[in-house]
Each structure stands twice: as structure tokens, then as C-alpha cells.
Amino acid sequence: MDDSFPKEILKISDGLKKRKFSSVEITKEYLRRIKAYDREINSFITICEETAIESALEADKRIAKGAAGTLAGIPYANKDLFCTKDILTTCGSRMLSNFFPPYDAEIISRAKENSLVMLGKTNMDEFAMGSSNETSYFGAVKNPWDLRKVPGGSSGGSAAAVIANLTPLATGTDTGGSIRQPSAFCGVSGLKPTYGRISRYGMVAFASSLDQAGIIGHSAADLAFFLNIIAGFDPKDSTCIEKPTEDYSRNLNFPLQGIKFGLPKEFFKTELNSGLQQIFANAISLVEKLGGKIVDINLPHSSLSIPAYYVIAPAECSSNLARYDGIRFGHRAPNTSNIEELYEKTRSEGFGAEVKRRVLIGTYALSSGYYDEYYTKAQKVRRLIKNDFSEAYKSVDFILSPTTPTTAFPLNEKTDDPTLMYLQDIFTIPASLAGLPAISIPAGLDKGLPVGLQIIGDYFQEARMLGVANKIQQTTDWHKLTPKSNSEKKL
Ligand code: GLN
């Protein structure tokens, strides 16, 4: 990256306001970098060169008038499942490979109102189903730390683009871990807010009771400034919570003195390799050194999270994805002679293997006779998991865990074994089922690959949670580490 451009949001904002550089200049620099380096990483599906420069020009005018907010003129990227008016929105699927939405998702509208500059749309697992970004119709994304490894998923394009310095900020979505797990694998900060804190309007649905929009960036502070813009009630999304927002940057100097952090005993039954264990132990000692108090807690039902999730998420996906019938939008199979054949061929051609697997499992779990046995039971387990967290938050302020059980794994290693892939989310799914906010921040490197620390907060504790993360980032350089091989190439 040209040294005249800083990476931190506040510094970019300051540079823009003081006219050290213009939004057009920094936007052009990011576009240049995307063109130069993304061929091998594959983190973008669509690059919006023309519209980005137009928005940057507008942002510069607004800044010149003195009428611009903190994020005006700052480039960012959107996961390709947020609808963008007249801009291709594929959801990583052949099914939507020709879909140009007629409207913007709510978070896109809010970003536009605040004059952010969209660089493009990032690659992802098909319909957000996956943990490695290998299910994308547009090809796998490579991890910038080691191009033979996966970046995590499903928001792997966003996480890879941020660490490769192709964008300072990116949106993501998290249903069971899709912001936190790729953030951990790529060494960036990723926030999944409380379910209902950010509008889902215009976000292509996977499992509606779990899907949550969020943000990936270089630091907790950067996430806080972006959250200020996109959080908040939206009458167009009936699951969006009508609760006033707050200034999420106000607690960035949050003192950890006396704050209680729970370590769920059950999480540590999962075997971690010694490198990961050591890194997690270091993070815990740091939190203690900063004044935090570490407390052992129990989340007795957390071991049931993965089975419950893999009934609920496929069930909801089978219902949501029924809209792709080849008639209203998206792919349509040619040369069919009746409606049944049209549905069948369209879906056979349009969906990839993982999406089909989930639609089949979900349809089965929802069929009469099995509904109570699977779906109702899974919902009951979900309630028990939620209750475990409520109990825990009576005695602690936050919960800490590793974000993932391993670091980034080799491409193609788990593609033939879906259950192994599903285990990737063992530490992230419990908070998703409970609808709690959680963040993953970098905690160091194990054999040259990033490790994530997960902080789970109680409902609507985003500001304090970002404060904890920022405190850790003020005292460490873990979030400043960048891929060596790439920096040698001046990435
Ligand atoms: N990896 C999980 C899955 O495949 C979570 C995906 C997500 O959060 N969108 O369902």
C-alpha cells in the first residue's frame, strides 16, 4: 500500500478532512490494488470501478462543503448477498449469477447516505453455507497468509480482502460463525451484533432466525465507527429491534478493571493443538493483567449446539430457498416442457452440492411426522442453550473462547466430509443460537497463521464489547500483523 494512505478509519477520515488526499485518490489506489492482487486471492466477485469513482467524487464535494460525517469518502466492500440496486448480487451462486436487484439493502442505503464508497462485492460460500469459501460458484477464495489455505467462510471474501489491504472495511453476515470464523482465519476483527440490531432488509436469506449482518475490519475501533452508521431500527425488517442505538465508539477506552470474563468449561473439552492453547492462554493472562477477572462458567448444553443448528439452519434454508423456482428471478433452465421439469432442472443446475444437501435435510426435518422429532426438538435445545447463557451472564460480563478449533486448513481438505467442516463452528454457533453479540479479534500467530479470540457479550452489549476488544488492541500488536509473503510483494 502506498504509504501516503493510512489504513485506520479515523486516520483516513482525518486525511480526507484535512485534504491530505481525496476520496477519489484513495479509492483509485484500492481499485488498483484489487486489480493487481485479487487475481490470485479471488476475494471479489464484482469490482465497481465506475460507480466507486462517481461516489468518491460526490463524497469529496460533500467533504469540501463541510457537510460530511466521519466515514464520508471511505472505501468499503459488501459481501455479495446484500442487494445492491442495479449491481450484480450473486450470493456466490449460479442461481443468482444474473440477478441485478431493483433496490438496495438497508445497510447499503445507510452507507450511501453517509457517503461511503463501495469498491465492489465480495466472494462468499454459496448462499452463506460453508466454512471455507469453497462452495462459491465463482471459485474458492485463497487465504492471503498462505494461498494454499482457505480463508474461512462464508464471509471469506470480505475477510481476505481486508487483510490483503484491498479494502479497509467490509460487510459480512453471520448465521453460525460466518463473520467470526473467517476473521479468525485471516487475522482481522469481525463483529456479529445482537440478532435484530442491524436490518436484514435486502440481505438474501439463509436461515432467518439466525442471519445477522455485521462488519469486518482491521480493528475494533474501525468496526465501532461503521456500526454507528448501520445499526438501528428499520420498519422494513420485522425482526429488527426497536431500541435506540448508541455511540458505539464511546466506550473505546473501557477499563477492564473488575470486569468478569467467563471461560466455559465445556468449550475446553474440544481438543486444541498446543500452539492454539498457548495463544489463548496468553490472551487470558493479558486480560487478567489489564484488570479483568477470569471466572470458570458452565454452558451445559453447548455440546448440543452443532446438532441443533444443523437441523434449524437447513430447515429454514429449505423454506427460504423455495423462492428460487426459475420464474421470478435468477437462473432459469432452458428447454423445459412443463412446470415440474422447469423447477427440477433450474434447481439442479442453479444450486451447488452443499446447498442441495441442506435443502434436502431441511425439507426432511420439516416434513409432517418428523417436524416434532427434529425441528421442535432442536428449537427446545436452542432454548436450553439460550438459558445457559442467561444464567452465565448473572455472574460474568463477557465470555471468552478461541474463535475456532484450528487455524486455516488446506484448500480441499474438508470438502468431502461435511461433518468435519461443520465442526469448524463449534465455538461460534452457541452465540448464534442465543442471538448474542460476539466479536473475533486476532490473538497471535500459530505456525504463521492467525488465531482468533472470541468475546461474547450479553444482548446489546456491543459498545462495551468493542471497548474490551479495543483495550486489548491498544496494548498488543496482534491486529497489526499482516501476511509476510504479501508484504514482501508490497501487498
Ligand atoms: N459455517 C456455518 C454454515 O455453514 C455458518 C455459516 C454462516 O454463518 N453463514 O452454516
Side-chain angles (χ1 to χ4, degrees), residues 214-237:
I215 317 162
I216 296 177
H218 291 293
S219 69
D222 287 1
L223 303 181
F225 294 111
F226 196 26
L227 187 63
N228 277 345
I229 283 177
I230 60 172
F233 179 60
D234 172 16
K236 297 188 291 312
D237 172 4

Side-chain angles (χ1 to χ4, degrees), residues 50 53 73 75 120 184 217 233-234 259 262 334 336 351 354 365 449 471:
E50 247 173 66
I53 292 174
F233 179 60
D234 172 16
I259 299 296
T336 53
F351 292 140
E354 182 60 25
L449 290 172
K471 194 91 219 159

Side-chain angles (χ1 to χ4, degrees), residues 11-29:
K11 288 195 185 151
I12 303 178
S13 179
D14 189 59
L16 290 168
K17 305 254 150 60
K18 294 195 174 128
R19 317 288 161 77
K20 288 188 190 146
F21 46 83
S22 68
S23 175
V24 169
E25 281 167 338
I26 191 162
T27 299
K28 282 190 174 159
E29 171 62 5

Side-chain angles (χ1 to χ4, degrees), residues 1 15 116 118 232 236 239 265 281 289 292 299 308 316 384 433 438 455 479 485:
M1 183 87 180
L116 273 92
M118 181 171 83
K236 297 188 291 312
T239 58
K265 282 195 192 130
K289 235 190 352 228
L299 295 174
E316 294 184 13
L384 294 173
L433 288 169
I455 308 168
H479 63 297
S485 56

Side-chain angles (χ1 to χ4, degrees), residues 26 41 80 84 95 99 130 202 211 216 221 235 289 301 335 339 351 379 392 457 463:
I26 191 162
I41 301 170
D80 206 19
T84 39
M95 188 59 97
F99 177 53
D211 295 344
I216 296 177
K289 235 190 352 228
H301 299 94
N335 310 324
I339 190 86
F351 292 140
Q379 289 289 23

Side-chain angles (χ1 to χ4, degrees), residues 313-327:
E316 294 184 13
C317 113
S318 76
S319 159
N320 273 326
L321 270 58
R323 75 192 65 179
Y324 303 108
D325 52 12
I327 295 178

